[in-house]
Amino acid sequence: MDKKQVGPLSGYRILDLTVMTAGPVGTVLLADLGADVIKVEEPKAGDLSRNLGNQFVEGESVQFLSQNRNKRSIRLDLKSPKGRDAFLRMAEHADVVVENFRPGTVDRLGIDYEAVKARNPMIVYASVSAFGQTGPYAAWPANDPIVQAVAGLMDMTGEAGGNPVRLGAPLPDFGAAALLAFGISAALLHRERHGEGQRIDTSLLSAALFSTIPRDGETLRSGKAPERLGSGHPTMVPYRNYQGSDGRYFFAACFTEKFWQNLCRALGRKDLLSDERFVGNPARTANRHALDVILEQQFLLHTAEYWVAHLSAADVPCAIVQDYHTALTQDPQIAHNHAVVEIEHPLAGRVTNIASPVNFHGSPVAYRRAPPTLGQHTAEVLAEFGFAEEEIAALEGREPAAVGEKS
């Protein structure tokens, strides 16, 4: 096989019990890198995201299609003794088990780490949950915005004097997904070096808190929670959205003295450099409202597009605030990065996905499989794990195929 067709994780077999977003996105990162990710789904409805949202293509949920490429799907009733035993038998020949059920669920099903480890001591068993496997919140029903509320993210988001606001994208979910994939990869490397498997876990809460760095230091040192500042920044000024004469917004970020000086020169306002209210970032932060009044009036003289071109030429970090559809379909840098890919689905036709965010130049990511239909690969996968046709038929609730027939 061509070396470039072998992903960094080719040869690793992952049993994926995850549903919704954090778990499936974490395993799609691993699948993109070549791991054989086998999505073990509840027989009737499958992954909860298969029926989530209000956009479907030929009965397939857009949400599910967005986060399950490069995987194979099997139906398996883990609540039945037969399904549990089949799963444990598969786990004997797997490298990784991943689950994101509410803590305690895998124990009740009899497929917890200790049960799997008894059959396969080298297993890497990974869990991702909302709050962690133990603790006062562990059993709470929760998802991304619930975690945003607990972690303080929601409270620090929104306009000054306004209400707390949910983040526009499920960042705790995706932070947990990245940490999950990172943890599994590190655990596999540890196994290669030291010959032992292990259990690992992460949570949306851990990911959310980790994403707030360096707000943690500022908050604990000051003894105060961050204020809601809209698009502004608690410790850097100017650093926010501004409106041009055409009503469009652009973001300008002067996070060093050099950029502040470049901004003043580009505006023809060298007087601001000697204004004691604005000399040094601490002074600008203390006098942000006075500075913003000056800048807001200045920026209303020209369009947002003019200012982005003018300030960029002066080496000031800035960008038009564009909507998400424009970003995905018209932005030249996103197009150059091939950040949106198309995959042919057996029912939905050509579907778009966000590409893997890491480029491996020696062993590039391959989009080998469309997101699977429910149970699409059940017979194929079980046969690979050594199940006889009669056993596969029993697990699928059908009669065994006659000799020469395909199941």
Side-chain angles (χ1 to χ4, degrees):
M1 182 183 291
D2 183 348
K3 181 181 177 182
K4 289 191 176 182
Q5 297 302 311
V6 180
L9 296 180
S10 293
Y12 289 104
R13 182 179 273 173
I14 298 173
L15 299 182
D16 179 10
L17 299 171
T18 66
V19 298
M20 294 294 283
T21 300
V25 172
T27 54
V28 90
L29 289 169
L30 302 171
D32 283 351
L33 299 182
D36 180 15
V37 176
I38 298 164
K39 192 170 180 67
V40 181
E41 301 192 65
E42 189 276 330
K44 292 183 180 179
D47 184 335
L48 295 172
S49 69
R50 286 187 179 275
N51 297 295
L52 206 63
N54 61 3
Q55 294 191 44
F56 295 82
V57 182
E58 298 299 327
E60 298 293 306
S61 163
V62 169
Q63 177 161 331
F64 181 87
L65 294 174
S66 293
Q67 56 198 37
N68 284 286
R69 63 172 175 254
N70 281 340
K71 302 177 185 179
R72 296 190 287 173
S73 168
I74 69 169
R75 300 174 191 248
L76 203 60
D77 184 3
L78 296 174
K79 295 179 181 178
S80 72
K82 188 163 51 178
R84 178 198 64 221
D85 293 344
F87 176 81
L88 291 174
R89 182 171 159 187
M90 294 173 68
E92 293 177 9
H93 305 286
D95 297 289
V96 181
V97 170
V98 193
E99 63 90 14
N100 70 339
F101 298 127
R102 198 180 301 188
T105 301
V106 291
D107 303 86
R108 292 192 296 273
L109 292 173
I111 56 171
D112 55 285
Y113 172 62
E114 294 299 333
V116 174
K117 181 184 176 184
R119 308 282 284 266
N120 180 356
M122 297 286 282
I123 198 71
V124 170
Y125 194 107
S127 299
V128 59
S129 59
F131 298 111
Q133 295 299 304
T134 59
Y137 301 165
W140 280 11
N143 63 351
D144 184 284
I146 303 301
V147 172
Q148 289 186 37
V150 170
L153 289 177
M154 198 175 288
D155 182 73
M156 69 174 75
T157 306
E159 293 297 329
N163 295 324
V165 174
R166 178 182 65 84
L167 301 179
L171 297 186
D173 264 332
F174 282 81
L179 293 175
L180 178 69
F182 168 77
I184 289 171
S185 300
L188 288 171
L189 178 61
H190 175 85
R191 192 180 74 176
E192 296 295 330
R193 289 177 169 179
H194 302 288
E196 58 185 13
Q198 62 181 300
R199 184 179 186 185
I200 62 174
D201 72 87
T202 190
S203 68
L204 274 66
L205 181 59
S206 296
L209 290 175
F210 197 73
S211 74
T212 63
I213 296 171
R215 298 289 84 75
D216 61 320
E218 298 162 1
T219 297
L220 295 175
R221 186 173 185 278
S222 69
K224 298 178 181 178
E227 297 179 51
R228 287 192 284 279
L229 295 170
S231 63
H233 194 282
T235 64
M236 290 185 278
V237 176
Y239 194 101
R240 50 159 279 199
N241 286 332
Y242 293 97
Q243 192 173 30
S245 61
D246 55 348
R248 296 186 70 190
Y249 286 90
F250 67 98
F251 197 98
C254 295
F255 50 90
T256 69
E257 281 301 308
K258 182 187 82 168
F259 293 138
W260 162 245
Q261 293 170 13
N262 290 350
L263 173 67
C264 293
R265 294 187 181 101
L267 295 177
R269 294 298 303 270
K270 292 184 181 181
D271 60 298
L272 297 177
L273 294 173
S274 57
D275 189 322
E276 62 182 19
R277 296 175 298 170
F278 311 134
V279 176
N281 186 62
R284 291 194 296 277
T285 302
N287 296 287
R288 69 168 70 233
H289 299 299
L291 179 56
D292 277 338
V293 169
I294 294 171
L295 295 179
E296 286 168 359
Q297 292 174 347
Q298 188 87 34
F299 290 138
L300 286 174
L301 297 176
H302 297 287
T303 66
E305 189 171 340
Y306 167 86
W307 286 118
V308 169
H310 183 65
L311 297 180
S312 294
D315 196 29
V316 176
C318 58
I320 291 286
V321 178
Q322 58 189 8
D323 67 73
Y324 188 52
H325 184 266
T326 299
L328 292 181
T329 60
Q330 299 178 34
D331 187 90
Q333 184 63 51
I334 290 175
H336 175 81
N337 290 352
H338 304 291
V340 180
V341 297
E342 290 188 333
I343 304 173
E344 191 69 34
H345 188 274
L347 297 179
R350 294 193 74 76
V351 298
T352 56
N353 273 193
I354 300 298
S356 177
V358 182
N359 293 320
F360 286 78
H361 293 270
S363 50
V365 165
Y367 304 103
R368 309 177 307 280
R369 298 177 183 273
T373 57
L374 179 57
Q376 179 180 348
H377 305 98
T378 302
E380 169 189 312
V381 168
L382 290 175
E384 291 176 9
F385 276 88
F387 287 77
E389 165 58 21
E390 293 78 10
E391 295 175 297
I392 296 171
L395 288 167
E396 290 190 308
R398 60 172 175 80
E399 292 296 319
V403 176
E405 286 185 17
K406 289 186 177 180
S407 60

